[in-house]
Amino acid sequence: MEPTILTSTMAHVPGPVTVVTTVDASGRRWGFTASSFSSVSLEPPLVLVCLGRRASTHTAFTGVRHFLVNVLAHGQVGVARRFATSGIDRFAAGDMESCELGLPGLPVACVRVACSTHSVVDAGDHSILIGRVEETHVSGRIPLVYYNRSFSRPVPARAADDQRLSALHLAGW
Ligand SMILES: Cc1cc2nc3c(=O)[nH]c(=O)nc-3n(C[C@H](O)[C@H](O)[C@H](O)COP(=O)(O)O)c2cc1C
């Protein structure tokens, strides 16, 4: 499988946009933008996020005991871009506050999920950070969505769309 075929295929799978943060033993804050956030297990309560092994944040995140997943709201495209930009101080904007477990978080995030590190699994060129959920916060804001390499927002499906899709399905599409 050509990597470009996989990436262009996965570009058509919508995903959340999160900023994952932590603090290392020296007190330094770390963070990166990730769309690979998913729930894993209810008992115990586990979630995951995948982090590239070559990322500047990899050593920090694979060594910490806690991390915070900030699921971005639809107005936070600038935050998503900043935490994906190399070679800058991603925290310089000053929009992070101490949140769950004392970790740096975004007060206007859609959702925050605070985790203790359950395990780190090697998976090809990424590491899977599996977190045990310790605390959550839900704001009710509309989430930001990443789809077709663009930032977007969810639009509720209309009954008319459902009927049109059903008709296509019946017609053999
Ligand atoms: C919308 C979006 C989603 C991303 N999702 C991930 C992800 O799930 N995992 C990951 O390792 N990097 C992801 N990245 C890339 C990282 O945010 C970051 O750019 C990369 O780790 C390189 O950063 P570095 O300068 O710290 O090495 C994503 C970037 C964007 C813009």
Side-chain angles (χ1 to χ4, degrees):
M1 167 65 63
E2 278 283 324
T4 52
I5 294 176
L6 180 58
T7 54
S8 59
T9 300
M10 293 308 292
H12 289 84
V13 179
V17 184
T18 74
V19 166
V20 189
T21 58
T22 195
V23 180
D24 69 17
S26 73
R28 181 173 173 181
R29 295 178 296 179
W30 298 87
F32 67 100
T33 298
S35 57
S36 56
F37 175 58
S38 178
S39 59
V40 173
S41 161
L42 285 176
E43 187 53 54
L46 302 176
V47 295
L48 69 77
V49 64
C50 301
L51 174 59
R53 294 172 71 91
R54 288 204 214 157
S56 64
T57 53
H58 186 267
T59 304
F61 274 96
T62 52
V64 292
R65 295 178 58 193
H66 299 96
F67 60 89
L68 178 64
V69 183
N70 297 265
V71 179
L72 300 189
H74 72 92
Q76 296 186 295
V77 173
V79 183
R81 291 195 203 286
R82 180 162 25 101
F83 276 83
T85 302
S86 304
I88 62 164
D89 178 357
R90 296 170 178 170
F91 291 89
D95 48 5
M96 292 272 174
E97 290 179 5
S98 179
C99 290
E100 291 75 20
L101 306 180
L103 295 166
L106 293 159
V108 294
C110 177
V111 168
R112 290 190 301 271
V113 180
C115 303
S116 55
T117 302
H118 173 274
S119 51
V120 178
V121 178
D122 288 343
D125 55 11
H126 279 60
S127 294
I128 306 172
L129 311 178
I130 300 179
R132 183 186 177 103
V133 179
E134 302 290 351
E135 286 182 51
T136 65
H137 172 84
V138 178
S139 75
R141 289 183 170 84
I142 295 169
L144 186 61
V145 171
Y146 199 59
Y147 172 65
N148 209 6
R149 300 191 172 106
S150 296
F151 294 102
S152 183
R153 60 191 284 176
V155 177
R158 294 175 302 168
D161 292 339
D162 290 344
Q163 282 163 12
R164 195 168 55 84
L165 283 173
S166 298
L168 286 172
H169 182 68
L170 288 173
W173 289 89

